[in-house]
Amino acid sequence: MKKIAIILSVAAFSMISNSCSDKFDEIDINPNSTDKPLTYGIFNSANKELMDNTRDEWQSGRIVLPWVQYSAQTGYTEEDRYQYRLSTGVSLWSFSYRVAQDYKQVIDLNTDPATKVQMASYGPNENQIAASRVMLSYVFLTLADSFGDIPYYSYGNQDADFQALNIDATLQPKFASQQKVYTDILKELKEASEMIDTNEVVFTQGDALFGSGEKLKKFANSLRLRVATRVKGVIPGAQTHINEAIASGVMTSNADNVGLTYENNLVNPSPLFNDFRERSDFAISKTFVNLLKGTTGGFGLDKRLFKYASPVGATQTMILNNAVTESTNPADYNGMPYGIPSSLTASQTASSNFFSTNILKPAYTEILMEYSEVQFLLAEANGWSQSNYTNGVRASMERWGVPAADITTYINNLPPASQQNVLTQKYIALFMQPYEAWAEYRRTGYPNTLLLPGQTANLNVPTTGGQTTYTFTSLIAGLTDLPTRLFYPTSVQTLNTTNYQAAASAIGGDKMDTKLIWDTN
């Protein structure tokens, strides 16, 4: 079976490391060398590669995690100030098309008459196809949200502009417009949801993501609600998709959360924990800590702070050994001043905070989408509904293990639902899901508590020279707000020049301040 890679995609099939766990040890067998490929192995491999690479220290830790000010670097802060390494964008592009190729392979094996009967022994053909269509939508959503116009593939739409992943495609695919990509993603999620048999499993074994057709359907509908909310007003029919997704059934509790739980070992640990074993230059941002402490935002003390961050004095060794005692004293949490010059970091790190052991642990669950986000989406759909707003806050706090009495007190003292309050609480709940938080900030302008270029903020402690404040300065000329997109990969510019130039022209220029079609705030 021929596999076409998009520009930088690695043609070799992505394999999972073998381990004693039943989650990631399903070794995919290259279809070029066997007539018995395991679709659940291919699917698991793609899911793991996707989360490994979108939630690691590079794609997440050195781009979007600090840009939305959940984190701040304790050493080299150039990336916090928007001067990201172009190779990181190349990697995001490359692995995304690689895992998309894997999801497409699952579809091909379940639709080809020569293999579909065999594949049915691993799970219902239609549920496997639906799961792969949903995950393809998830991957292409991240690509479109990050770059703009992109090479795109659709299972159910043979549009001539959709040239990615096709066997007969060249290595120089056209870029589909954002209008076409978002419109088709909504269609794919609708059709995938409708083909799911909720009385059946997705895979008969080795399913580390969904487990049941019912959970898959709720995820498809919830993701459709997310996308339709993002593009309402700019993509025709988006409001209809919102209504239909809700009617078809979205997530209704934290039991419906979709995430990939890593293994409690050092063979397949969570990506940020694995990176933290070698690098300790990521701390929780002071901007975010101030919001959780109630210094900004107007919500008062949010005890998710104690679940999100380790107290001052918790060392790398203590965290790696899970030997940190949680503190409920707000004075133990300062955060790391965000976007300071690298020359000032040494004076501030001792008073900053690492992420907590709820996050920096081998068996952390990287969330693709959760119930609390759905409640905030419903709050928006229902005219900034108070009940959906409080449901979203409660769901988030419960997921992170905040004591019930503290949750009740916090919710009873929340300011009433409004666009600003709902979207700021949504931002708090999206912690550690930085791509979605970045998209929501660009779409809405919230939270309005972020430190922007040209603004001044306080240091944790005075420097030896007596400096107590600093001014956040972007290293990218012209940026006065968060970046609105990533540069197209340099390899694409070189190897697919004509289509790259057409795409750059179509979106208004390959720049970090070019707005995507839904970025209208």
Side-chain angles (χ1 to χ4, degrees):
M1 181 182 295
K2 183 179 179 183
K3 295 181 77 174
I4 299 297
I6 302 296
I7 306 301
L8 284 184
S9 296
V10 177
F13 191 77
S14 175
M15 305 290 285
I16 307 176
S17 299
N18 197 9
S19 78
C20 61
S21 169
D22 63 356
K23 291 185 178 178
F24 296 135
D25 64 346
E26 307 296 353
I27 303 300
D28 171 49
I29 302 172
N30 190 325
N32 291 317
S33 62
T34 180
D35 61 352
K36 297 180 179 179
L38 305 175
T39 49
Y40 60 90
I42 299 170
F43 191 75
N44 280 345
S45 175
N47 295 337
K48 184 174 185 295
E49 183 173 7
L50 175 65
M51 301 313 287
D52 280 354
N53 287 283
T54 53
R55 306 298 174 89
D56 68 344
E57 72 163 290
W58 296 105
Q59 277 73 26
S60 178
R62 298 188 187 276
I63 300 184
V64 284
L65 198 64
W67 285 1
V68 295
Q69 297 176 32
Y70 289 144
S71 73
Q73 294 190 66
T74 61
Y76 308 106
T77 65
E78 284 74 17
E79 289 144 321
D80 291 18
R81 292 178 284 157
Y82 308 154
Q83 192 177 75
Y84 77 97
R85 307 174 205 207
L86 296 182
S87 59
T88 309
V90 171
S91 177
L92 173 63
W93 184 278
S94 179
F95 82 74
S96 294
Y97 284 104
R98 189 163 61 242
V99 299
Q101 187 79 57
D102 290 343
Y103 294 131
K104 181 179 182 293
Q105 186 182 19
V106 175
I107 292 174
D108 291 344
L109 288 167
N110 279 278
T111 53
D112 186 341
T115 56
K116 65 181 296 185
V117 174
Q118 176 192 331
M119 298 306 112
S121 64
Y122 307 138
N125 294 126
E126 291 203 336
N127 280 6
Q128 292 188 54
I129 294 168
S132 299
R133 293 175 79 175
V134 170
M135 292 307 298
L136 279 167
S137 296
Y138 188 94
V139 170
F140 283 120
L141 176 65
T142 301
L143 283 168
D145 286 350
S146 300
F147 296 100
D149 293 9
I150 55 169
Y152 180 74
Y153 161 82
S154 173
Y155 169 77
N157 187 342
Q158 302 306 309
D159 189 300
D161 286 348
F162 297 168
Q163 297 181 357
L165 311 187
N166 293 336
I167 289 177
D168 57 351
T170 68
L171 292 178
Q172 297 178 324
K174 290 180 65 175
F175 288 55
S177 69
Q178 294 167 69
Q179 288 85 351
K180 284 190 173 185
V181 170
Y182 289 113
T183 298
D184 194 74
I185 286 174
L186 289 169
K187 178 199 72 68
E188 282 293 289
L189 290 170
K190 171 183 170 66
E191 292 181 0
S193 173
E194 292 171 345
M195 72 186 298
I196 297 167
D197 185 342
T198 57
N199 295 316
E200 294 285 350
V201 297
V202 180
F203 294 98
T204 55
Q205 57 185 308
D207 183 357
L209 207 58
F210 300 115
S212 69
E214 181 180 10
K215 186 170 184 176
L216 170 61
K217 187 178 183 73
K218 288 181 178 181
F219 177 58
N221 292 329
S222 299
L223 187 59
R224 185 180 171 199
L225 176 59
R226 173 196 280 184
V227 180
T229 301
R230 179 154 305 147
V231 300
K232 65 183 178 183
V234 295
I235 295 295
Q239 185 60 53
T240 299
H241 280 286
I242 290 173
N243 298 339
E244 290 181 352
I246 295 170
S248 182
V250 294
M251 295 177 180
T252 56
S253 74
N254 279 329
D256 296 327
N257 295 348
V258 173
L260 190 64
T261 301
Y262 284 78
E263 297 175 3
N264 192 27
N265 56 46
L266 299 183
V267 178
N268 283 308
S270 64
L272 275 182
F273 173 85
N274 199 42
D275 294 333
F276 189 69
R277 294 165 63 195
E278 303 295 332
R279 301 295 298 262
S280 60
D281 48 354
F282 300 100
I284 194 166
S285 166
K286 186 177 184 67
T287 313
F288 191 46
V289 168
N290 283 343
L291 176 59
L292 295 172
K293 290 174 76 169
T295 307
T296 60
F299 296 106
L301 176 62
D302 184 335
K303 294 190 177 179
R304 280 173 289 188
L305 170 64
F306 311 141
K307 305 298 180 180
Y308 289 171
S310 292
V312 168
T315 65
Q316 180 184 21
T317 299
M318 292 167 63
I319 292 171
L320 291 175
N321 292 330
N322 194 25
V324 177
T325 300
E326 179 182 300
S327 169
T328 57
N329 181 358
D332 288 335
Y333 301 88
N334 303 305
M336 180 72 186
Y338 175 75
I340 60 177
S342 296
S343 60
L344 296 182
T345 57
S347 66
Q348 306 301 308
T349 53
S351 58
S352 66
N353 306 84
F354 290 123
F355 294 135
S356 76
T357 52
N358 294 314
I359 297 160
L360 294 173
K361 62 181 181 180
Y364 180 64
T365 299
E366 289 288 358
I367 296 291
L368 282 78
M369 193 169 186
E370 63 181 301
Y371 169 59
S372 64
E373 180 192 344
V374 172
Q375 282 298 310
F376 293 123
L377 289 166
L378 291 173
E380 182 171 350
N382 294 328
W384 310 111
S385 157
Q386 180 73 23
S387 61
N388 293 128
Y389 164 58
T390 56
N391 287 346
V393 174
R394 182 180 298 278
S396 174
M397 299 185 94
E398 287 178 346
R399 181 171 86 80
W400 286 95
V402 176
D406 291 335
I407 295 174
T408 298
T409 299
Y410 185 75
I411 289 177
N412 287 343
N413 289 282
L414 279 174
S418 66
Q419 181 185 31
Q420 176 175 322
N421 291 336
V422 170
L423 293 173
T424 302
Q425 281 294 330
K426 184 178 184 180
Y427 164 78
I428 294 172
L430 285 171
F431 180 57
M432 302 310 294
Q433 300 172 62
Y435 280 96
E436 186 57 24
W438 181 39
E440 281 297 274
Y441 177 82
R442 288 175 288 161
R443 178 179 76 92
T444 69
Y446 291 106
N448 59 9
T449 56
L450 301 186
L451 185 66
L452 301 180
Q455 295 181 343
T456 299
N458 294 321
L459 296 170
N460 283 345
V461 295
T463 66
T464 54
Q467 181 178 346
T468 60
T469 63
Y470 68 101
T471 299
F472 176 42
T473 304
S474 168
L475 296 181
I476 303 298
L479 279 185
T480 58
D481 205 333
L482 270 65
T484 52
R485 61 179 295 278
L486 301 179
F487 291 116
Y488 285 124
T490 51
S491 52
V492 174
Q493 300 176 33
T494 302
L495 300 175
N496 194 9
T497 305
T498 299
N499 288 316
Y500 157 73
Q501 290 174 342
S505 176
I507 67 173
D510 185 12
K511 300 175 292 184
M512 290 181 72
D513 60 354
T514 295
K515 289 195 171 189
L516 303 187
I517 59 171
W518 43 262
D519 185 353
T520 58
N521 75 84

